[in-house]
């Protein structure tokens, strides 16, 4: 039986991203450091953060205190919306705060160039194509190994890839993916362009969060039936579904038992018909919305 915890996906730049990572969004102060350290001590080799999360310093502390060699850890972070005109500075801030020598994957967090002086405004003379021009230059620094995007829809990718200034195809598009937001058109489009997809909110959201939505995904009969028959948690079933779709997954947790459980994906699998039964779930909801940004970035046309 495949050892899924050691599974990697090869990116279009030849580098290998670990299939299972730890998400750190919406973790409280001090929780992040401990959860990152615990995850690395228990086998995780992929940590995801972002400038926007405000926890890069703690993430770096957790990495350094884990005892795991830096070269064995994949670290992803992201450029925040108000930094699109200052890519080099935004990258340097993340590099400084993480304090881990280099960054494995640096992403444009959203295709939205927010005015740093007014969060209700989009910069009139700047968009993500210009941001990507600056992102490409970062590779020459040797301090970032791969670059990519996050929350890009098909229309965004088409605009970027068709621009003459786009010399490097994004290695990754990190997007919300779970059985109630499967986005098959977007996933297929990325695969056709050689862009790997990492699934965030892969467990369907955070219940009770004041910022994002959540749905009854883990109560779906198809998921509960499989969980019971295999002796696994509903969360493990959903995570395996994500792996079987060819996406890396970054479930977030700060609870040691759940961090361990989410990594318990070795020695079992889902058959094609079981994957199909989960994909047939009809409920639809989106965890991350775009109402807090000055422009729309989600259009609901990726299903």
């Amino acid at each position: 039986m495949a050892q899924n915890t050691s599974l990697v996906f090869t990116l279009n730049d030849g580098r290998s991203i670990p299939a299972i990572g730890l998400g750190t969004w919406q973790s409280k102060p001090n929780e992040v450091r401990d959860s990152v350290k615990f995850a690395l001590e228990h086998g995780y080799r992929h940590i995801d953060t972002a400038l926007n999360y405000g926890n890069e310093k703690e993430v770096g502390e957790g990495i350094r205190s884990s005892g795991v060699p830096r070269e064995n850890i994949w670290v992803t972070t992201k450029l925040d919306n108000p930094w699109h005109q200052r890519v080099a500075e935004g990258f340097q801030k993340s590099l400084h705060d993480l304090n881990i020598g280099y960054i494995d994957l640096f992403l444009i967090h959203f295709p939205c160039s927010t005015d740093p002086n007014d969060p209700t405004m989009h910069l009139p003379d700047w968009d993500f194509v210009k941001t990507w021009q600056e992102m490409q230059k970062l590779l020459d620094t040797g301090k970032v190994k791969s670059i990519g995007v996050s929350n890009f829809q098909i229309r965004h990718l088409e605009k970027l890839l068709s621009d003459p200034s786009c010399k490097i195809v994004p290695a990754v598009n990190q997007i919300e993916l779970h059985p109630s937001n499967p986005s098959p058109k977007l996933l297929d489009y990325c695969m056709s362009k050689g862009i790997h997809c990492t699934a965030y909110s892969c467990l369907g959201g955070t219940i009770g969060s004041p910022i994002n939505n959540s749905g009854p995904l883990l109560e779906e009969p198809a998921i509960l039936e499989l969980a019971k028959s295999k002796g696994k948690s509903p969360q493990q079933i959903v995570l395996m579904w994500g792996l079987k779709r060819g996406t890396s997954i970054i479930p977030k947790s700060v609870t040691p038992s759940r961090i361990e459980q989410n990594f318990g994906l070795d020695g079992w699998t889902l058959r094609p018909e079981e994957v199909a039964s989960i994909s047939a779930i009809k409920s639809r909801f989106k965890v991350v919305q775009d109402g807090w940004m000055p422009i729309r970035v989600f259009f609901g046309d990726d299903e």
Side-chain angles (χ1 to χ4, degrees), residues 1 74 87 136 140 153 182 219 247 253 261 272 283 296:
M1 193 69 71
W74 180 284
V87 170
Q136 293 177 132
D140 294 332
Q153 307 300 289
E219 300 167 12
T247 67
S253 181
Q261 184 186 76
S283 68
R296 286 188 67 195

Side-chain angles (χ1 to χ4, degrees), residues 279-291:
S279 297
I281 287 172
K282 299 299 183 186
S283 68
R284 290 290 179 268
F285 66 88
K286 191 151 173 39
V287 173
V288 175
Q289 307 290 327
D290 58 11

Side-chain angles (χ1 to χ4, degrees), residues 4-107:
N4 292 299
T5 56
S6 58
L7 179 67
V8 297
F9 291 105
T10 302
L11 305 180
N12 60 24
D13 60 6
R15 301 187 71 235
S16 297
I17 186 171
I20 307 168
L22 179 75
T24 62
W25 182 38
Q26 294 184 324
S27 297
K28 296 175 183 176
N30 299 317
E31 287 183 340
V32 182
R33 181 191 308 107
D34 294 341
S35 61
V36 168
K37 181 176 184 286
F38 182 88
L40 291 171
E41 289 173 342
H42 288 78
Y44 283 73
R45 292 297 179 263
H46 178 176
I47 304 295
D48 181 86
T49 183
L51 192 158
N52 175 264
Y53 303 167
N55 63 15
E56 288 173 310
K57 286 185 178 180
E58 278 198 39
V59 168
E61 290 168 1
I63 290 170
R64 294 192 301 277
S65 64
S66 71
V68 177
R70 170 67 185 96
E71 62 270 19
N72 295 344
I73 306 170
W74 180 284
V75 180
T76 299
T77 193
K78 311 173 193 80
L79 181 79
D80 201 10
N81 299 353
W83 292 78
H84 277 219
Q85 271 188 316
R86 301 168 291 157
V87 170
E89 293 96 320
F91 174 74
Q92 192 59 42
K93 176 171 172 52
S94 289
L95 188 67
H96 175 269
D97 288 351
L98 282 163
N99 191 23
I100 52 174
Y102 63 92
I103 291 168
D104 293 275
L105 176 63
F106 193 53
L107 308 176

Side-chain angles (χ1 to χ4, degrees), residues 213-235:
N213 297 318
S214 182
L217 175 62
L218 300 176
E219 300 167 12
E220 288 283 348
I223 293 171
L224 292 177
E225 288 168 13
L226 281 170
K228 184 177 180 180
S229 69
K230 293 182 177 292
K232 302 298 176 183
S233 70
Q235 289 89 340

Side-chain angles (χ1 to χ4, degrees), residues 174-234:
Q174 187 181 123
I175 49 180
E176 179 180 338
L177 292 171
H178 50 78
S180 290
N181 191 68
S183 304
K185 288 182 180 177
L186 178 55
L187 194 57
D188 287 348
Y189 179 86
C190 288
M191 288 182 175
S192 75
K193 300 298 182 182
I195 301 171
H196 173 73
C197 289
T198 294
Y200 76 74
S201 293
C202 45
L203 292 174
T206 307
I207 296 173
S209 166
I211 299 174
N212 57 275
N213 297 318
S214 182
L217 175 62
L218 300 176
E219 300 167 12
E220 288 283 348
I223 293 171
L224 292 177
E225 288 168 13
L226 281 170
K228 184 177 180 180
S229 69
K230 293 182 177 292
K232 302 298 176 183
S233 70

Side-chain angles (χ1 to χ4, degrees), residues 92-274:
Q92 192 59 42
K93 176 171 172 52
S94 289
L95 188 67
H96 175 269
D97 288 351
L98 282 163
N99 191 23
I100 52 174
Y102 63 92
I103 291 168
D104 293 275
L105 176 63
F106 193 53
L107 308 176
I108 299 177
H109 205 155
F110 286 93
C112 174
S113 304
T114 302
D115 187 332
N117 299 311
D118 184 354
T120 67
M121 297 294 294
H122 188 269
L123 291 169
D125 58 347
W126 197 274
D127 66 11
F128 58 82
V129 174
K130 289 186 177 180
T131 308
W132 190 249
Q133 292 171 16
E134 299 304 309
M135 291 281 289
Q136 293 177 132
K137 297 175 184 177
L138 293 177
L139 292 171
D140 294 332
T141 68
K143 294 295 185 179
V144 62
K145 308 299 183 180
S146 299
I147 56 173
V149 297
S150 181
N151 294 297
F152 273 50
Q153 307 300 289
I154 293 173
R155 64 179 72 184
H156 301 125
L157 291 168
E158 286 181 333
K159 179 177 179 179
L160 178 62
L161 296 176
S162 65
D163 193 277
S165 68
C166 180
K167 307 298 184 184
I168 298 169
V169 175
V172 171
N173 186 15
Q174 187 181 123
I175 49 180
E176 179 180 338
L177 292 171
H178 50 78
S180 290
N181 191 68
S183 304
K185 288 182 180 177
L186 178 55
L187 194 57
D188 287 348
Y189 179 86
C190 288
M191 288 182 175
S192 75
K193 300 298 182 182
I195 301 171
H196 173 73
C197 289
T198 294
Y200 76 74
S201 293
C202 45
L203 292 174
T206 307
I207 296 173
S209 166
I211 299 174
N212 57 275
N213 297 318
S214 182
L217 175 62
L218 300 176
E219 300 167 12
E220 288 283 348
I223 293 171
L224 292 177
E225 288 168 13
L226 281 170
K228 184 177 180 180
S229 69
K230 293 182 177 292
K232 302 298 176 183
S233 70
Q235 289 89 340
Q236 288 172 314
I237 297 297
V238 171
L239 293 175
M240 185 67 78
W241 175 86
L243 290 182
K244 289 298 178 181
R245 297 179 89 210
T247 67
S248 48
I249 52 174
I250 47 171
K252 174 257 175 178
S253 181
V254 294
T255 307
S257 61
R258 289 180 183 169
I259 291 173
E260 273 197 281
Q261 184 186 76
N262 289 342
F263 205 61
L265 302 176
D266 285 338
W268 65 282
T269 190
L270 291 175
R271 300 190 304 272
E273 62 270 23
E274 293 171 331

